[in-house]
Amino acid sequence: MSGNVFSFGPGFASEMEDMPDEGVILMDGVDQAMFDNNRRLIFCETIEQQLQAMQYFRKLLSVENEPPIDDVIDAGLVPRFVQFLENDSQRELQFEAAWALTNIASGEDSDIATTLVEHGVIPIFVRLIRT
């Protein structure tokens, strides 16, 4: 792994192929093209692009009224956020992922909690709190 590239190893390409197709329908006020662009960037190999996209999604999920939590989940981004959360070598990316995931966890739908549990978020947060 070089200084500017974070690779997820074998099988990652197949995970990208499993991502839902573009065309996520977002609530009013969210720029579809920007959402789709950042959705692509988050799967780029450079840390800078990943961080830019992660900051976009963190800010998007931080809006006070009705953040597009379901849209982010439906876009298949939670597993990527979890990968960043697990990566102790990129602390800024890890921080952004933690913030975005806590914003997702603040959603009122019980399916959201189930999604986070299924992706193993809780043990990772517990580990991070202990460090």
Side-chain angles (χ1 to χ4, degrees):
M1 183 173 350
S2 72
N4 288 346
V5 176
F6 177 58
S7 176
F8 290 101
F12 180 70
S14 65
E15 289 177 26
M16 281 188 64
E17 292 169 7
D18 292 338
M19 283 181 43
D21 291 332
E22 289 187 42
V24 176
I25 299 171
L26 300 176
M27 68 175 72
D28 294 333
V30 176
D31 183 323
Q32 180 69 50
M34 186 172 284
F35 184 97
D36 291 341
N37 183 55
N38 280 286
R39 184 171 169 245
R40 282 187 292 278
L41 285 177
I42 207 159
F43 287 95
C44 288
E45 290 296 321
T46 67
I47 297 296
E48 292 81 12
Q49 290 175 315
Q50 294 168 356
L51 184 58
Q52 174 187 339
M54 197 65 248
Q55 288 171 334
Y56 167 81
F57 287 112
R58 185 255 306 155
K59 290 174 185 177
L60 186 65
L61 292 163
S62 295
V63 297
E64 188 172 333
N65 295 319
E66 299 183 42
I69 293 170
D70 290 333
D71 296 315
V72 169
I73 291 171
D74 293 344
L77 295 171
V78 170
R80 186 63 161 167
F81 294 179
V82 172
Q83 288 173 328
F84 293 151
L85 187 66
E86 292 178 302
N87 181 8
D88 294 328
S89 67
Q90 294 296 327
R91 291 293 195 179
E92 192 172 4
L93 198 52
Q94 186 180 49
F95 173 80
E96 294 291 341
W99 194 344
L101 288 164
T102 58
N103 287 338
I104 290 171
S106 72
E108 297 175 6
D109 186 348
S110 64
D111 290 340
I112 293 170
T114 301
T115 297
L116 295 177
V117 168
E118 288 173 351
H119 286 92
V121 170
I122 295 172
I124 301 167
F125 272 120
V126 169
R127 179 184 61 83
L128 290 173
I129 290 169
R130 289 181 176 168
T131 59

